[in-house]
Amino acid sequence: MNNIAIFASGTGSNFQALINDPKIRPAVRLLVCDQENAQVISRAERENIPVFVCLAKDHVNKASFEEKILTKLKGHQINFCVLAGYMRMIGNTLLAAYPKRIINLHPSFLPEFPGKDAIGQAFRAGVAQTGITAHFVDSGVDTGPIIAQERISILQGESEEELTQKIHQAEHRFYPTIVCDLILGNVACERKEG
Ligand code: GRF
């Protein structure tokens, strides 16, 4: 079985959805968090999942920050990293150690609306559809090869809050499926056209 580390920075609702899946839970060996008071930490503690809080400000540069994380990952024999609301770019140290073994969830239909506040970007653009995407992580901002994606409609009169809730619900169903496939080794790395 693959050993997974989940990386998260905030609320951790996707972390929760992942560990609620009984097929995924045994593979989750570590939470890596870059914020000391993030809600996701208590979610992991409740489930007895080891937590590694690593703060960028305690390191001289990104390479030493990631070296620290890498040492921890190796100690837990992690071979897949699953980003779930991790609000930091992955640098060369981790990318080199985990080629095609770091995935991310993004709340838009990439390549549309990359970067921060993707839901707000789509809402303000007035488009009729947005989406969610799981992709491999590369050195760009949400540019890595797409694993799978789903379209989500933006209804007339829908508020940004309602849209956000709808997207999160979809993510909680979608991402565990992707991670299951990944654990089973069924992920095809191909770009799907919308
Ligand atoms: C999700 O919308 C995810 O797509 C994005 O960050 C958000 C994390 O939410 N990358 P949560 O912390 O899992 O609740």
Side-chain angles (χ1 to χ4, degrees):
M1 181 187 287
N2 288 310
N3 293 332
I4 292 174
I6 301 179
F7 286 50
S9 304
T11 313
S13 68
N14 282 285
F15 172 84
Q16 190 71 55
L18 289 167
I19 64 171
N20 284 352
D21 187 313
K23 295 186 293 304
I24 296 173
R25 173 64 188 85
V28 177
R29 300 303 174 95
L30 184 67
L31 167 69
V32 176
C33 182
D34 64 335
Q35 301 294 329
E36 47 198 340
N37 296 314
Q39 193 186 331
V40 67
I41 294 170
S42 50
R43 293 183 190 270
E45 286 170 348
R46 268 202 302 275
E47 289 288 330
N48 295 317
I49 292 169
V51 177
F52 182 51
V53 176
C54 195
L55 305 180
K57 68 176 170 64
D58 295 341
H59 299 81
V60 288
N61 55 33
K62 194 170 190 93
S64 67
F65 169 69
E66 290 201 338
E67 282 296 342
K68 187 77 77 64
I69 294 175
L70 186 54
T71 301
K72 198 75 179 176
L73 296 176
K74 284 182 176 163
H76 286 262
Q77 297 176 311
I78 301 298
N79 43 19
F80 270 101
C81 300
V82 173
L83 311 190
Y86 184 67
M87 301 304 287
R88 193 172 288 280
M89 294 284 293
I90 299 293
N92 291 337
T93 304
L94 289 176
L95 287 173
Y98 289 93
K100 280 284 182 68
R101 284 173 173 263
I102 307 176
I103 66 167
N104 183 43
L105 172 65
H106 185 76
S108 80
F109 200 89
L110 290 171
E112 300 165 8
F113 309 116
K116 285 190 179 151
D117 190 23
I119 300 174
Q121 288 185 54
F123 186 78
R124 288 188 294 278
V127 292
Q129 285 189 315
T130 181
I132 51 178
T133 302
H135 66 95
F136 289 103
V137 173
D138 66 9
S139 58
V141 178
D142 303 319
T143 52
I146 289 171
I147 299 163
Q149 50 192 171
E150 275 185 22
R151 276 292 188 189
I152 293 175
S153 298
I154 304 178
L155 305 177
Q156 208 131 48
E158 194 166 45
S159 69
E160 188 174 343
E161 291 66 33
E162 287 166 337
L163 175 63
T164 300
Q165 206 179 6
K166 190 166 73 179
I167 287 178
H168 284 155
Q169 277 171 3
E171 287 182 328
H172 298 162
R173 174 184 44 73
F174 170 81
Y175 209 29
T177 309
I178 302 304
V179 172
C180 274
D181 288 348
L182 183 73
I183 290 168
L184 298 172
N186 289 334
V187 169
C189 175
E190 62 184 43
R191 182 167 288 267
K192 294 192 178 157
E193 300 302 334

